[in-house]
Amino acid sequence: MKGYRRFGIIVIVGIISCLLFASLSFAESRELAEIRAAIKAKGANWTAGESWVTRLSPEERRELLGEKTTELGIQESSDPPPDISYPDAIDWRNVGGHNWITPIKDQRSCGSCVAFGSVATVESLARIEQGKSALYIDLSEMHLFNCGGGSCSSGWYNSSACAYLKNNGTPDETCWPYEPVNRSCSNTCPDWQSRAVKITSYGRISGIESHKTYVAIAPILVAFRVYSDFYYYTGGIYEYTSGVYEGGHAVSIVGYDTTGPVDYWIVKNSWGDSWGENGYFRIKMGECGIETRSSYWMSGALLPSTLSGWIFMSPDIPDFGYSLSESDLVFFDSWGYVISYNFTTGLWVDEPPADFVYVDWPFYYVLDSGSVMFALPPESGLPVYHFSTGHWEVLPRIIP
């Protein structure tokens, strides 16, 4: 008898779940149809469709938004823009033939967009200021958000994130990997201060022309008003067409274009690369308060003097990299390549530099004024250089 009751309960729960899912799907389809009709009626230049974001409940969608600043009118005044000219268009994903933007990330169901927009801006800034588009840099949003005062449920402020980055910085992602939950700052790695990347200065921006001036120098941190139609964005140049106000969202502007019929910003989001235009979106200039809500430039990215625990992988040559800690320098590859790293371009090439400086069999490297070459004989093992002793040690390979 108990078995029948249990079976009946399972059946009832299953029916309720199916009805709830069907109800949500119907509501989503109806909302999408209304948005598409509004886009057509307004003559807007963007497309709407379903994604993992639209399949969330209304409450879950709002959890993605967490920038709490109101409009600039009641905030501190903005800084005057630098007296420089700016191009008609720029996209930091392709400047000089190189991509200066780090990969798209996913904040998931937590109002941590301020941390993600801030980190995206700093990571690109470091690459640009170092002049190395291939610089591997992946900073910890978890540390910045939880140690700076953010909350998944209530969000944070762009201004607070900038202040924390200047005063404290944030370490690499491996120090404290991201989770979409609130945690005490005591959970960060114990040596985070020696691993933190800081900024030297930051300032407020307002107005389209000022934004273009600063974006021409490097990506900037901004926020804008999100309306319910934005969740359905799949491509094109977004402008508000229908729906209710949902909240503020922090992002990083990585470019703009004023050469076509509609002037727009190119924006890096933090909802994964399956949303929008491979994780990015374009938005019409002057739309949703994106130039007036909470915009900041940053400069002077300070990399830690000791990159403890950082791993640098070559994007140009597979299976090669090195790691650096306070006591050891480790180089590794899989195939025994002879390769060079050029400090000027920030690129790896499979050509040796001109002048030999150091040899220590079975591992050697070569250094000249602009490059350093690392070479490993096939199957030699993993070379480790100990700063304390000045000697190399060959360990068994850990890279297959």
Side-chain angles (χ1 to χ4, degrees):
M1 194 66 177
K2 290 182 179 179
Y4 285 110
R5 287 202 191 102
R6 188 178 298 111
F7 178 75
I9 292 172
I10 292 173
V11 170
I12 293 171
V13 170
I15 293 173
I16 293 174
S17 299
C18 290
L19 291 174
L20 180 61
F21 178 78
S23 175
L24 290 173
S25 299
F26 175 77
E28 179 184 2
S29 299
R30 183 178 61 186
E31 187 177 16
L32 177 57
E34 292 173 352
I35 291 171
R36 285 174 171 168
I39 293 172
K40 183 177 181 180
K42 190 172 183 177
N45 297 299
W46 64 281
T47 57
E50 297 179 353
S51 70
W52 74 270
V53 174
T54 63
R55 287 187 281 273
L56 298 174
S57 68
E59 294 75 18
E60 290 172 327
R61 293 178 192 175
R62 283 190 286 272
E63 289 178 356
L64 298 171
L65 312 177
E67 209 295 314
K68 302 197 292 184
T69 308
T70 54
E71 295 301 304
L72 180 63
I74 59 173
Q75 299 296 318
E76 67 268 24
S77 60
S78 59
D79 294 339
D83 187 17
I84 61 172
S85 60
Y86 50 81
D88 293 332
I90 189 170
D91 184 347
W92 281 106
R93 296 172 298 179
N94 184 11
V95 172
H98 300 295
N99 180 11
W100 304 85
I101 308 302
T102 50
I104 293 290
K105 299 180 182 180
D106 188 353
Q107 69 185 77
R108 289 174 279 172
S109 297
C110 172
S112 54
C113 58
V114 170
F116 279 84
S118 301
V119 162
T121 302
V122 174
E123 289 175 344
S124 298
L125 177 68
R127 285 184 167 186
I128 293 166
E129 291 185 337
Q130 293 287 317
K132 301 174 183 177
S133 62
L135 175 69
Y136 182 87
I137 180 169
D138 184 8
L139 301 180
S140 174
E141 292 86 3
M142 195 71 177
H143 177 98
L144 176 61
F145 194 60
N146 286 278
C147 295
S151 168
C152 282
S153 59
S154 60
W156 203 22
Y157 297 94
N158 280 356
S159 57
S160 299
C162 290
Y164 190 89
L165 286 168
K166 179 180 179 181
N167 297 328
N168 303 281
T170 194
D172 52 286
E173 177 72 8
T174 57
C175 169
W176 196 0
Y178 179 73
E179 298 176 89
V181 294
N182 295 322
R183 293 275 191 252
S184 167
C185 186
S186 61
N187 288 284
T188 193
C189 63
D191 59 342
W192 73 267
Q193 290 177 308
S194 65
R195 299 162 64 164
V197 171
K198 297 182 179 181
I199 58 173
T200 304
S201 57
Y202 67 94
R204 193 69 186 265
I205 318 169
S206 179
I208 292 176
E209 300 307 311
S210 293
H211 278 67
K212 287 191 288 186
T213 301
Y214 282 106
V215 174
I217 300 172
I220 61 174
L221 172 66
V222 301
F224 68 107
R225 299 189 301 272
V226 170
Y227 295 88
S228 53
D229 63 347
F230 180 74
Y231 297 126
Y232 287 87
Y233 173 88
T234 57
I237 304 171
Y238 173 80
E239 59 180 298
Y240 169 70
T241 60
S242 64
V244 299
Y245 173 68
E246 296 282 298
H249 188 46
V251 288
S252 181
I253 292 182
V254 302
Y256 62 83
D257 195 323
T258 60
T259 62
V262 179
D263 297 344
Y264 62 84
W265 303 110
I266 304 167
V267 188
K268 181 181 182 182
N269 201 2
S270 54
W271 293 351
D273 58 11
S274 65
W275 181 90
E277 296 180 329
N278 299 314
Y280 293 84
F281 67 93
R282 290 174 288 162
I283 183 171
K284 183 178 179 181
M285 290 186 181
E287 194 70 25
C288 298
I290 195 166
E291 302 96 359
T292 59
R293 186 181 178 98
S294 183
S295 301
Y296 289 89
W297 58 266
M298 303 180 193
S299 69
L302 301 174
L303 301 183
S305 56
T306 302
L307 301 180
S308 176
W310 282 37
I311 302 295
F312 297 83
M313 291 301 298
S314 163
D316 307 298
I317 301 177
D319 303 311
F320 178 85
Y322 65 94
S323 67
L324 180 64
S325 69
E326 292 184 2
S327 59
D328 300 298
L329 178 63
V330 180
F331 302 100
F332 52 88
D333 84 336
S334 297
W335 308 104
Y337 285 143
V338 176
I339 66 176
S340 300
Y341 179 77
N342 187 283
F343 295 110
T344 302
T345 64
L347 300 176
W348 297 89
V349 295
D350 54 0
E351 299 175 358
D355 303 318
F356 280 48
V357 170
Y358 187 89
V359 177
D360 194 339
W361 188 259
F363 172 82
Y364 67 93
Y365 67 91
V366 179
L367 183 66
D368 68 7
S369 59
S371 303
V372 61
M373 181 191 74
F374 308 110
L376 288 165
E379 309 304 328
S380 68
L382 180 68
V384 179
Y385 181 76
H386 299 281
F387 295 111
S388 57
T389 63
H391 296 298
W392 294 92
E393 177 185 8
V394 179
L395 303 176
R397 274 187 188 274
I398 59 173
I399 305 298

